[in-house]
Amino acid sequence: MQLTTRSARARIRSGGPSLRALACRAVAPLVVVALCCAAGAAQAEAGGGPLALEEPFATDLSGLVILLLLFFSVLTASLHLVGRRRWTQREAELASELTRTRAALDRANLFLASEPQILLAWDRPDGEPRIEGDFSLVADAPSPRRVLAFASWLEPAIAANLQHAVERLLGRGEAFSLAAASLKGRHFEIDGRAVAGCAVVRILDVSGERLQLARLRDSHAQANAALDALRALLDAIPGPAWTRGVDGRIAWANLAYARAVEAADGADAVARGVELFDQALGAEAAQARADSGVWRRRAPAVVAGGRKLFEATEVATADGAAGLASDLSELETARVEMERHLDAYSRMLDQLSTAVAIFDRAKKLTFYNAAYRQIWSLDPAFLDSQPTNGEILDRLRSTRQLPEQADFRSWKAQALAAYQAIEPIESVWHLPDGRALRVVASPNPQGGVTYLFDDATQSYALASQVNAMTRVQGETLDALKEGVAVFGADGRMKLINPAFAEMWRFDPARAVDRPHIDELARLCAPLLDDGQLWDGLRARIVDLPEERRGFEMRVARKDGLALDCAALPLPDGATLLTFLDVTASANVERALTERNQALISAEKLRNDFVNHVSYELRTPLTNIIGFTQLLADGGVGPLNPRQLEYAGFITKSSAALLAIINDILDLASIDAGALELRPEDVDVVEAMKAAAEGVQDRLSDSKIELRIVATDDVGSLRADGRRIRQVLFNLLSNAIGFSAPGQTVTLAAMRRGDEIVFKVSDRGRGIPNDVLDRVFDRFESHTGGSRHRGPGLGLSIVRALVELHGGRVQIDSVYGEGTTVTCVFPIDGAPRQASAAA
């Protein structure tokens, strides 16, 4: 307001001089002319100089001057009158403007004083502000500078914020508005903004309705902040939460609700109006809210394709309803699991032989098992009525099932003292019927007592038996001829028997001092050639290996005794040593070993002799067969029928002998590991036919029929074809030899999984049981009254060749009914080497 008054006054002062200057500029030329004429006239009068004029002209000139002066006077008076009128008018205008300005100033002062406030105005950012207003709002003394000291009348944090806001207003022209409370409890609204190139800050003391409005704004802001915090908290909880509008539709939902209804977020769930529970539950909830204002129940819902159980609560509000649900699926699962465990625990306790009874803090029976009911022979109805501990004791006393006591009341009080005990109390009740019960009263953490009744009658009997058994075992050890000693884990002797003391010439009286194994080793060392025995025993007794193992050793002493020593680990960490005098058996074993070695050498000599003789016989026998065939063919001349018959006999006998020699050589090759198989794809049916061709003459001579049976899928196998035919030939020859004329021999083959099975069956005499176990042995021939003769090598060759192919042989025979030999060959099995078979 002061700025407006000063500008008005400046404009009033500037109006006068402008009119005077105008008048002077108009009259100045006339004044100069008049002065010049006056000067000329004066000079003429004085001396008549060069400027002297003619008299008439001078007279006219004087008149002209006077005329000019008169004109000047008139003009000046006119101008003065015009200027005065303008000045008077201008002064009146300025006076009116001044009046209006003062009125505006008064109104501004009135407006400024109408509210308790302070104004600060800066013309320049680096200049000093002009401060107007009620300074008593922020300071006791009317000091404008105290207003700028924000920290003197505001909280430090608020003062710092205000200082930064003022700096931003001065520097960048950023407006601000904030609410603050002074140190004296006043509330201010502080606004800052740029006005007409100036920075203006208003500090307004809000009181009355404004203060109430400000407080309402603060409360509203706090309520919004609390609401945002509550919604953020509800978004963080795992359970769904929601609010409803007056129309019953979802108005807000948290993230858990959105996930439960498979929505992108809460806003999506609200926009889609998806309900967590089904329509029936929604109607039930609406009715409950209308009736009592609260709906609460356990409600199922489908969440992410799975059915879950929720504890749901909805409360009616002024503008709708609010709901919250917690997932009880895991809790329900845990409850069911707990019930299952409790049920299993109860069943387990019910199966125990130990009687169990649980009493609560009121001393009432809450649980008992079958053993408890049986051990006391109590009525289940009585136990199910939850009697007190004292009532049960009184009933047991009436049936004489408690220990006889001179003062039953004191004994009963002592028994019930377990309810105040901290540690379990154990006692033994000796009942009148001869039973002994071990009773353990264990206080429960939640109050009450758990009783365990264990029938210890058998335990006492077993303890007595153990003591008796210990004495019997001690006497048994003392009577043993075998030396026995037990050493503990510390290496000291625990017990010995007399045989040990006598065997090692140890004084039994020294066993009382529990000598160490090292001391015993020193005492027994003179009886041995070296200390290897006792070093090994010491390692088993004293060392701590990862796994304890036994130790066995035979030792020869200097006095000629042979002892079998054994060290056995015992469960308690001790070690048992046994010494057995095997001098006599060692001598017998030595003799048997020497005899066995002699037999092995004799067998080797026999095998070498057979092999040598077989090779030596094969060459001349081949010559005999060749020359006989040459004679039979007429190569050296014709033969008569008798001579041909004899030549045929020679050929058959020579061929049979050659077959025997070949079998012997094959067995010798197998034993030596020199027989090699030549695997090839063998057609099973063709091999059977080839073997049948080899026995056609025998079938004709014996008048026996051969039947060949093969399944359609028998196919082929990988084997040595020559050896397969040899096996079948030997089996057929053996079956024909044991068959009677007119009988049938069957050769069958089939595929079974990855195996080929050959079976050769006959209906001959069969093989007795006492002979059946030896039929595969070499040179074992049992005719059994049949026409079959041979060295007993056929079946031995069969088993050896089948096992070389990785197969197996089985023989089934019923005496008087016939025999079946089964050979099983692997289809693709790699044949083993002959050395493996040997």
Side-chain angles (χ1 to χ4, degrees):
M1 295 305 175
Q2 292 177 355
L3 294 174
T4 306
T5 304
R6 284 195 296 268
S7 62
R9 291 174 180 174
R11 287 195 298 271
I12 292 173
R13 286 194 300 268
S14 62
S18 62
L19 294 176
R20 294 189 188 98
L22 178 62
C24 291
R25 286 193 297 269
V27 176
L30 296 178
V31 174
V32 173
V33 174
L35 289 177
C36 291
C37 290
Q43 185 176 4
E45 291 178 358
L51 295 176
L53 300 175
E54 296 181 358
E55 184 176 351
F57 179 77
T59 302
D60 294 336
L61 182 61
S62 298
L64 180 60
V65 170
I66 294 171
L67 183 60
L68 289 175
L69 290 175
L70 181 62
F71 175 76
F72 172 73
S73 299
V74 174
L75 179 61
T76 301
S78 300
L79 292 176
H80 175 70
L81 292 176
V82 173
R84 184 173 182 178
R85 183 172 59 84
R86 289 181 177 178
W87 295 339
T88 303
Q89 184 180 0
R90 180 61 177 169
E91 184 177 3
E93 292 177 356
L94 292 177
S96 177
E97 183 179 355
L98 179 59
T99 302
R100 290 194 302 271
T101 302
R102 286 177 177 176
L105 178 60
D106 292 338
R107 287 194 300 271
N109 291 331
L110 180 61
F111 292 154
L112 181 62
S114 64
E115 292 181 333
Q117 61 183 344
I118 300 174
L119 291 176
L120 295 87
W122 284 267
D123 295 332
R124 300 187 310 275
D126 55 349
E128 291 294 329
R130 296 188 300 274
I131 305 174
E132 298 289 343
D134 187 0
F135 305 132
S136 62
L137 297 176
V138 298
D140 296 334
S143 175
R145 302 298 302 175
R146 291 290 301 275
V147 178
L148 296 177
F150 301 135
S152 64
W153 52 278
L154 291 175
E155 295 288 342
I158 301 176
N161 292 337
L162 179 58
Q163 184 66 38
H164 293 325
V166 170
E167 291 176 356
R168 290 195 298 271
L169 173 63
L170 295 176
R172 299 192 293 269
E174 293 182 4
F176 67 88
S177 177
L178 57 88
S182 69
L183 297 176
K184 295 182 179 180
R186 289 180 178 272
H187 292 269
F188 298 100
E189 284 186 356
I190 305 175
D191 296 327
R193 65 193 61 191
V195 178
C198 297
V200 180
V201 175
R202 185 179 72 162
I203 303 173
L204 177 63
D205 181 15
V206 292
S207 59
E209 294 181 356
R210 286 180 173 273
L211 178 59
Q212 185 178 2
L213 178 60
R215 289 177 177 175
L216 289 176
R217 288 176 180 174
D218 293 340
S219 300
H220 183 263
Q222 292 175 1
N224 285 336
L227 180 60
D228 292 340
L230 179 60
R231 288 183 173 180
L233 178 61
L234 292 177
D235 278 336
I237 65 174
W242 65 93
T243 61
R244 297 182 182 275
V246 293
D247 58 352
R249 294 176 59 84
I250 298 296
W252 175 86
N254 67 346
L255 294 179
Y257 187 98
R259 288 193 296 268
V261 299
E262 299 182 1
D265 51 19
D268 183 32
V270 172
R272 293 163 52 190
V274 184
E275 293 287 345
L276 177 61
F277 302 109
D278 57 23
Q279 186 175 2
L281 291 175
E284 178 185 336
Q287 185 64 38
R289 292 197 309 269
D291 295 341
S292 62
V294 178
W295 174 70
R296 180 183 294 109
R297 65 162 294 176
R298 292 188 175 185
V302 177
V303 176
R307 188 175 181 84
K308 292 190 176 183
L309 182 66
F310 290 91
E311 179 71 30
T313 303
E314 273 196 0
V315 180
T317 61
D319 56 351
L324 183 67
S326 57
D327 189 358
L328 299 181
S329 300
E330 295 184 0
L331 181 62
E332 185 68 16
T333 302
R335 184 187 65 79
V336 173
E337 188 69 14
M338 178 62 71
E339 291 181 354
R340 188 178 66 83
H341 282 298
L342 289 176
D343 185 60
Y345 176 72
S346 300
R347 290 199 304 271
M348 179 191 69
L349 291 179
D350 207 43
Q351 299 297 323
L352 291 178
S353 60
T354 300
V356 180
I358 301 177
F359 294 85
D360 60 11
R361 63 180 62 191
K363 301 180 183 180
K364 290 186 176 181
L365 181 65
T366 58
F367 174 81
Y368 66 92
N369 65 349
Y372 180 82
R373 184 180 66 251
Q374 295 170 1
I375 199 172
W376 299 119
S377 301
L378 293 173
D379 185 11
F382 171 70
L383 296 176
D384 293 338
S385 65
Q386 293 188 338
T388 63
N389 198 353
E391 292 173 351
I392 294 177
L393 291 178
D394 291 338
R395 173 165 291 201
L396 293 178
R397 183 193 180 199
S398 64
T399 56
R400 300 190 73 249
Q401 295 189 73
L402 291 181
E404 297 292 344
Q405 300 292 334
D407 187 357
F408 176 76
R409 180 170 300 183
S410 300
W411 181 86
K412 178 180 177 182
Q414 183 179 1
L416 297 179
Y419 288 89
Q420 288 78 36
I422 300 177
E423 298 293 333
I425 300 175
E426 183 175 346
S427 59
V428 178
W429 293 2
H430 296 279
L431 305 184
D433 57 2
R435 292 182 297 168
L437 298 183
R438 176 177 170 269
V439 182
V440 178
S442 177
N444 298 329
Q446 66 275 14
V449 174
T450 298
Y451 283 97
L452 302 177
F453 299 90
D454 191 8
D455 190 350
T457 306
Q458 188 176 4
S459 300
Y460 287 120
L462 289 177
S464 177
Q465 294 177 6
V466 169
N467 293 331
M469 187 178 298
T470 301
R471 291 192 298 270
V472 171
Q473 289 179 350
E475 294 178 0
T476 302
L477 290 176
D478 292 342
L480 286 177
K481 296 300 182 181
E482 185 177 6
V484 177
V486 178
F487 289 84
D490 57 354
R492 293 191 172 276
M493 181 184 293
K494 298 179 68 174
L495 65 87
I496 61 171
N497 67 343
F500 180 88
E502 181 182 358
M503 189 176 297
W504 291 102
R505 302 172 188 176
F506 179 75
D507 185 5
R510 301 185 61 179
V512 180
D513 300 332
R514 299 187 61 198
H516 197 270
I517 183 66
D518 293 338
E519 182 179 354
L520 183 63
R522 287 194 299 270
L523 294 175
C524 300
L527 298 176
L528 300 174
D529 293 331
D530 55 31
Q532 181 180 2
L533 170 65
W534 291 104
D535 291 341
L537 294 177
R538 183 185 184 282
R540 295 299 186 279
I541 295 172
V542 180
D543 291 349
L544 299 175
E546 295 182 359
E547 181 181 0
R548 301 183 66 199
R549 296 181 179 178
F551 172 79
E552 293 183 358
M553 181 178 181
R554 174 169 291 186
V555 60
R557 297 198 330 187
K558 292 181 179 180
D559 55 2
L561 291 180
L563 302 178
D564 275 349
C565 172
L568 302 175
L570 299 179
D572 60 351
T575 303
L576 172 67
L577 302 183
T578 60
F579 295 90
L580 179 63
D581 186 356
V582 293
T583 305
S585 59
N587 294 333
V588 173
E589 181 181 357
R590 187 181 305 110
L592 292 176
T593 301
E594 294 175 353
R595 181 180 179 183
N596 184 58
Q597 187 62 38
L599 291 175
I600 293 174
S601 300
E603 183 179 5
K604 183 176 182 303
L605 179 61
R606 183 199 64 186
N607 292 337
D608 293 342
F609 172 76
V610 170
N611 293 337
H612 181 71
V613 171
S614 298
Y615 277 108
E616 292 298 329
L617 290 177
R618 189 173 187 179
T619 300
L621 186 59
T622 302
N623 293 334
I624 293 173
I625 294 173
F627 286 123
T628 303
Q629 292 178 349
L630 181 62
L631 292 174
D633 293 339
V636 293
L639 299 179
N640 57 37
R642 184 176 294 274
Q643 290 174 341
L644 288 175
E645 182 180 1
Y646 291 159
F649 291 154
I650 294 173
T651 300
K652 290 182 180 180
S653 299
S654 299
L657 182 59
L658 182 60
I660 294 173
I661 293 174
N662 288 334
D663 289 344
I664 293 174
L665 292 178
D666 288 341
L667 289 175
S669 299
I670 293 173
D671 293 338
L675 182 63
E676 295 183 0
L677 299 179
R678 294 178 175 81
E680 59 180 342
D681 291 332
V682 180
D683 187 283
V684 175
V685 176
E686 293 298 328
M688 296 169 65
K689 293 180 178 180
E693 288 293 332
V695 295
Q696 285 298 325
D697 54 342
R698 300 189 183 188
L699 293 173
S700 300
D701 295 342
S702 302
K703 298 181 180 180
I704 295 174
E705 180 184 357
L706 175 61
R707 188 161 60 94
I708 299 177
V709 180
T711 59
D712 296 337
D713 60 343
V714 67
S716 61
L717 75 159
R718 187 74 176 172
D720 189 334
R722 175 173 172 271
R723 299 302 178 182
I724 294 294
R725 291 189 294 272
Q726 183 178 357
V727 167
L728 298 179
F729 177 81
N730 287 353
L731 292 178
L732 290 174
S733 299
N734 195 69
I736 293 171
F738 284 95
S739 299
Q743 291 182 342
T744 301
V745 174
T746 303
L747 172 60
M750 69 184 71
R751 179 184 292 267
R752 187 173 63 192
D754 56 352
E755 297 176 335
I756 295 295
V757 180
F758 292 99
K759 288 189 177 183
V760 178
S761 305
D762 65 71
R763 297 298 179 183
R765 295 177 177 270
I767 304 174
N769 292 331
D770 57 339
V771 180
L772 193 61
D773 296 335
R774 304 194 307 271
V775 294
F776 290 107
D777 295 342
R778 298 179 184 181
F779 303 106
E780 288 288 338
S781 180
H782 302 277
T783 60
S786 65
R787 298 177 294 102
H788 180 70
R789 297 293 183 271
L793 297 177
L795 292 180
S796 299
I797 290 292
V798 167
R799 184 174 67 176
L801 292 178
V802 171
E803 290 178 353
L804 278 178
H805 284 83
R808 58 189 183 277
V809 181
Q810 181 180 354
I811 185 169
D812 298 314
S813 180
V814 178
Y815 187 70
E817 295 183 5
T819 303
T820 300
V821 180
T822 303
C823 297
V824 181
F825 291 90
I827 295 177
D828 298 324
R832 297 183 298 168
Q833 296 296 326
S835 58

